[in-house]
């Protein structure tokens, strides 16, 4: 799953880079044809100058860097399309405002309405060409998760009624969140034969760091009874500061 996550992150990066390249290229042609042509008339010559070629590479690189800094490429398999759309809109708007003031505001224009139309065209091009490929990638991944074709290798911590109920709830989900149960560990020694024999027993929670590494666990769900809560804090510390530092740990209370 982690290899798939890296491949999906690369897909987002490549898509974002080419989206920005295409958006800038079309915007440059728009300015040359619809704005400068009206200003200079017969003296206008369409040419792709240094600003065009610099923009084709540097502007996409800047956008990809901003997306990376804001954490867009981290954990790419747990995307919410609504949250992604909002974040894409906000980052695109911020980036276009900065780009507009750095590269476009000093252009020769006939009147201020040209600035407004240029800003709107640049923003729409950048947002649409960025958002559509992202939506396609995200929808494809979400569909595969919901069909249980891929998922997050999940470890259940617990060997009691609460843990079994949790497992049954996950198994019977109509629209899965992507948890693929790899096994369970117990808090108090050996506890085989639970979960109807459908879930492998992987050992005691004392060895959870080694188990999560060996089984390449993406998510740990802690399902303990009330009399076991005193050990939960130490357990979560091991997970967060150990091998699952890039994964997810959640507690079912």
């Amino acid at each position: 799953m982690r290899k798939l996550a890296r491949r999906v992150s690369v897909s987002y990066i490549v898509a974002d880079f080419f989206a920005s390249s295409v958006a800038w290229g079309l915007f440059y042609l728009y300015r040359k044809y619809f704005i400068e042509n009206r200003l200079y008339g017969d003296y206008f010559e369409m040419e792709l100058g240094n600003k065009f070629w610099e923009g084709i590479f540097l502007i996409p690189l800047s956008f990809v860097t901003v997306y990376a800094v804001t954490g867009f490429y981290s954990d790419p398999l747990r995307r919410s399309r609504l949250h992604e759309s909002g974040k894409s809109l906000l980052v695109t708007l911020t980036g276009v405002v900065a780009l507009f003031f750095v590269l476009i505001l000093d252009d020769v224009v006939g009147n201020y309405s040209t600035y407004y139309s240029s800003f709107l065209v640049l923003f729409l091009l950048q947002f649409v060409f960025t958002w559509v490929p992202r939506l396609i990638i995200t929808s494809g991944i979400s569909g595969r998760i919901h069909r249980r074709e891929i998922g997050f290798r999940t470890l259940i911590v617990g060997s009691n009624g609460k843990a079994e109920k949790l497992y049954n709830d996950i198994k019977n989900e109509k629209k899965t969140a992507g948890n693929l149960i790899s096994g369970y560990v117990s808090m108090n020694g050996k506890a085989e034969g639970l979960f109807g024999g459908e879930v492998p027993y992987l050992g005691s929670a004392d060895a959870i760091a080694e188990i999560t590494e060996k089984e390449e666990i993406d998510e740990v769900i802690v399902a303990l009874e009330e009399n076991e809560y005193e050990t939960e804090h130490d357990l979560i510390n091991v997970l967060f500061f150990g091998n699952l530092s890039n994964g997810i740990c959640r507690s079912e209370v």
Side-chain angles (χ1 to χ4, degrees):
M1 199 64 174
R2 295 173 187 176
K3 292 180 180 179
L4 175 61
R6 286 193 290 269
R7 291 199 299 269
V8 174
S9 291
V10 171
S11 298
Y12 279 119
I13 292 172
V14 172
D16 286 347
F17 187 92
F18 279 102
S20 293
S21 292
V22 173
W24 175 254
L26 292 176
F27 175 70
Y28 187 91
L29 296 177
Y30 163 81
R31 290 169 60 221
K32 288 293 183 181
Y33 185 79
F34 288 100
I35 296 178
E36 294 187 15
N37 187 33
R38 294 175 182 176
L39 289 174
Y40 302 120
D42 295 336
Y43 298 98
F44 169 75
E45 293 183 5
M46 175 67 78
E47 61 179 15
L48 303 180
N50 292 335
K51 186 178 287 189
F52 173 82
W53 296 111
E54 291 172 359
I56 284 292
F57 177 76
L58 294 178
I59 290 175
L61 185 62
S62 299
F63 270 103
V64 168
T65 301
V66 172
Y67 294 136
V69 169
T70 55
F72 183 84
Y73 303 124
S74 61
D75 204 7
L77 303 181
R78 303 178 191 269
R79 285 274 185 263
S80 162
R81 278 169 284 193
L82 180 61
H83 180 265
E84 179 177 288
S85 298
K87 192 170 185 177
S88 298
L89 182 65
L90 179 61
V91 175
T92 299
L93 179 61
T94 304
V96 168
V97 168
L99 185 62
F100 193 82
F101 276 91
V102 171
L103 296 180
I104 301 170
L105 200 59
D106 62 345
D107 283 1
V108 177
V109 295
N111 53 64
Y112 283 102
S113 65
T114 304
Y115 282 133
Y116 304 139
S117 61
S118 294
F119 179 86
L120 182 61
V121 169
L122 177 58
F123 170 74
L124 289 176
L125 285 172
Q126 180 65 40
F127 176 71
V128 171
F129 279 97
T130 299
W131 178 69
V132 171
R134 286 181 174 183
L135 182 63
I136 293 173
I137 296 172
T138 302
S139 297
I141 294 297
S142 297
R144 293 182 65 188
I145 289 175
H146 293 327
R147 293 190 299 271
R148 301 180 189 273
E149 296 175 5
I150 60 174
F152 309 105
R153 294 179 61 83
T154 303
L155 178 70
I156 296 177
V157 178
S159 52
N160 47 56
K162 182 179 288 187
E164 289 194 292
K165 181 181 182 302
L166 169 68
Y167 169 68
N168 289 325
D169 288 344
I170 292 174
K171 184 175 67 173
N172 296 323
E173 285 177 329
K174 292 182 178 180
K175 193 173 184 180
T176 177
N179 293 109
L180 301 178
I181 306 301
S182 299
Y184 73 98
V185 299
S186 66
M187 295 300 299
N188 300 308
K190 199 168 184 180
E192 298 186 46
L194 299 178
F195 305 96
E198 298 177 6
V199 181
Y201 173 72
L202 300 179
S204 171
D206 294 337
I208 195 167
E210 293 79 5
I211 292 171
T212 55
E213 180 178 15
K214 178 182 178 182
E215 300 294 330
E216 298 183 344
I217 298 298
D218 301 303
E219 183 168 338
V220 173
I221 304 178
V222 181
L224 303 180
E225 299 293 347
E226 292 183 6
N227 60 356
E228 298 174 314
Y229 284 171
E230 61 185 23
T231 63
E232 184 176 10
H233 180 72
D234 293 337
L235 179 66
I236 292 177
N237 281 339
V238 171
L239 294 172
F240 273 112
F241 295 104
N243 297 313
L244 202 73
S245 56
N246 293 322
I248 288 181
C249 175
R250 77 172 191 255
S251 177
E252 298 292 322
V253 295

